[in-house]
Structures are given as C-alpha cells and as structure tokens.
Amino acid sequence: EIFLRTCRTFDVEFEEAGFQHLVTTHYQQTGRCFRAVHPRDLLDQVQALCRYRDIRPAMKPELLDLVVRTYFAD
C-alpha cells in the first residue's frame, strides 16, 4: 500500500512484477528489513533515473535493480 501511494505521489507507474521483484530479490533474498522511507527514497531515484534517460517512470525490475545498487550499502 505504501508503494502504491508513493507511486501516485511521484507519478511513477506501479508495476506488480517490479514490486514483486523488488521484494523477492532485494528484501527476502538479502534478509533486508523494510523501512518506511524506502518507498519514497527508491521511487525518487527511479524518477530521477527516468528523467535522465527521458523515459516514463515505472517500477520496472531493471530500473529498481539500478537504484537499489546505489541506495543500499553493503
């Protein structure tokens, strides 16, 4: 629900496949905990990346993979 609301706020197209990829790959498989700021921060980065590439912002797995790599430190 938080991701849906944040997508509307940031004008990023919500894609169920992208959301499931994010949860499975970047949370469940890594043991990462959800934080309330993650949707805002990640979607802000998706929006910036899409603006740079001049494409429509969407929760696509490949875009989420790129922003996750720069957002989370190991």
Side-chain angles (χ1 to χ4, degrees):
E1 183 63 33
I2 294 172
F3 266 96
L4 281 170
R5 290 180 188 182
T6 309
C7 278
R8 283 186 229 125
T9 300
F10 281 91
D11 195 27
V12 173
E13 181 182 342
F14 180 85
E15 291 189 12
E16 185 66 34
F19 178 73
Q20 291 304 323
H21 172 77
L22 177 69
V23 171
T24 301
T25 305
H26 299 291
Y27 286 91
Q28 292 174 343
Q29 289 179 5
T30 64
R32 185 174 287 127
C33 296
F34 291 101
R35 301 284 185 248
V37 298
H38 290 173
R40 179 201 65 204
D41 294 348
L42 292 172
L43 293 174
D44 181 50
Q45 292 298 310
V46 166
Q47 187 182 54
L49 177 62
C50 291
R51 189 171 42 248
Y52 176 76
R53 291 183 169 187
D54 197 28
I55 58 174
R56 172 92 174 107
M59 284 186 62
K60 296 192 176 299
E62 60 274 12
L63 296 173
L64 292 166
D65 287 344
L66 289 171
V67 301
V68 163
R69 278 193 298 209
T70 62
Y71 183 74
F72 292 111
D74 289 330

